[in-house]
């Protein structure tokens, strides 16, 4: 992949804002940081970074995809109240992919497991 200052900036801002932002949220972070990256350029670069495995595109959380700088195997939790997305370590369900492969015979190339519920912060606020 050829070097791109815009792509580097996008990757840096995504890493600094590890909240699993949508492209629109990421655009806001970039604009607040003084960048003039347009939405089309942002999407093009996000798709390229995702295709190269440098970031993870997470579909299925909401209507818009979310983006994650963490490419290590892990799962996600989305709070039904605040809509924040949290990383869940893959160790909570060790060998899930391999066990699924063995049980079904499917060739699994990747997986996106998303838990939905209420995060501890929202639960605490609700209990107050």
């Amino acid at each position: 992949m050829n070097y791109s200052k815009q792509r580097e900036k996008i990757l840096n801002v995504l890493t600094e804002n590890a909240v699993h932002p949508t492209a629109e949220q990421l655009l806001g972070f970039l604009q607040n940081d003084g960048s003039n990256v347009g939405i089309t350029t942002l999407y093009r670069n996000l798709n390229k970074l995702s295709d190269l495995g440098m970031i993870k595109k997470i579909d299925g959380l909401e209507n818009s995809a979310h983006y994650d700088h963490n490419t290590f195997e892990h799962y996600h939790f989305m709070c039904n109240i605040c809509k924040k997305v949290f990383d869940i370590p893959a160790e909570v369900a060790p060998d899930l992919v391999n066990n699924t492969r063995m049980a079904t015979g499917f060739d699994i190339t990747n997986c996106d497991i998303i838990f939905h519920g209420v995060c501890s912060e929202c639960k605490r606020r609700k209990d107050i």
Side-chain angles (χ1 to χ4, degrees):
M1 171 172 61
N2 293 336
Y3 174 79
S4 162
K5 188 173 183 173
Q6 289 179 321
R7 195 173 300 129
E8 181 182 356
K9 181 70 172 173
I10 291 166
L11 190 55
N12 287 340
V13 171
L14 182 60
T15 302
E16 292 166 5
N17 296 282
V19 294
H20 305 80
T22 63
E24 292 78 15
Q25 291 168 325
L26 190 54
L27 183 63
F29 294 144
L30 287 161
Q31 289 172 340
N32 288 342
D33 206 33
S35 178
N36 62 352
V37 174
I39 192 71
T40 304
T41 300
L42 177 59
Y43 272 112
R44 185 176 57 250
N45 281 285
L46 288 171
N47 287 330
K48 183 73 168 173
L49 290 166
S50 177
D51 290 346
L52 293 170
M54 296 177 71
I55 64 170
K56 186 171 186 173
K57 181 178 179 181
I58 310 164
D59 288 313
L61 294 175
E62 297 180 291
N63 292 339
S64 298
H66 289 250
Y67 296 90
D68 190 352
H69 76 286
N70 181 357
T71 58
F72 294 102
E73 182 182 358
H74 65 283
Y75 312 123
H76 292 101
F77 175 89
M78 182 174 191
C79 179
N80 295 335
I81 297 172
C82 68
K83 304 299 184 197
K84 288 182 183 173
V85 180
F86 302 88
D87 287 341
I88 304 290
E91 291 80 35
V92 300
D95 300 322
L96 180 63
V97 173
N98 192 43
N99 289 343
T100 303
R101 184 181 298 118
M102 297 298 288
T104 63
F106 297 156
D107 288 335
I108 300 171
T109 57
N110 63 0
C111 71
D112 290 314
I113 297 174
I114 305 163
F115 299 93
H116 296 268
V118 179
C119 72
S120 56
E121 187 178 316
C122 288
K123 187 176 174 184
R124 191 171 34 256
R125 269 188 268 143
K126 187 175 161 185
D127 292 340
I128 293 177

